[in-house]
């Protein structure tokens, strides 16, 4: 990813971000968390957040199947889940 996503919340699920390369900033209303390669961060359910990558950043995001990537915000950045298998 590169750039800023959107502010959103997942009311019913946590969301885990694992950074493979680059640097990811998870913007939270009470302060930012910077996640470096090999590190992960879990956004607890119900916490509003906005991922931001100032440089091209490879991430894995883990959340239950069927979770909408834009949470409660919706909009043009909403993508259908892709199942691996």
């Amino acid at each position: 990813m590169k750039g800023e996503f959107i502010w959103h919340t997942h009311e019913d699920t946590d969301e885990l971000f694992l950074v493979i390369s680059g640097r990811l900033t998870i913007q939270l209303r009470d302060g930012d968390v910077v996640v470096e390669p090999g590190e992960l961060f879990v956004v607890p359910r119900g916490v509003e957040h906005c991922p931001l990558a100032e440089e091209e950043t490879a991430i894995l995001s883990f959340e239950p199947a069927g979770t909408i990537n834009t949470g409660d915000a919706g909009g043009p950045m909403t993508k259908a889940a892709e199942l691996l298998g």
Side-chain angles (χ1 to χ4, degrees):
M1 75 173 284
K2 184 174 181 183
E4 186 173 54
F5 198 55
I6 59 169
W7 283 94
H8 65 285
T9 304
H10 301 282
E11 289 299 328
D12 299 322
T13 186
D14 300 335
E15 185 174 17
L16 183 146
F17 294 91
L18 172 63
V19 175
I20 306 302
S21 64
R23 173 184 287 168
L24 181 67
T25 300
I26 305 291
Q27 301 174 100
L28 305 169
R29 294 297 183 188
D30 60 353
D32 296 347
V33 175
V34 177
V35 189
E36 302 283 349
E39 297 179 340
L40 59 86
F41 182 75
V42 177
V43 178
R45 68 189 71 206
V47 173
E48 190 176 24
H49 59 287
C50 180
L52 168 67
E54 293 184 10
E55 61 188 83
E56 189 167 321
T57 300
I59 65 166
L60 288 176
S61 180
F62 294 88
E63 53 200 8
T67 300
I68 299 171
N69 69 323
T70 54
D72 63 343
M77 295 184 104
T78 300
K79 302 278 187 222
E82 295 180 31
L83 297 178
L84 302 175

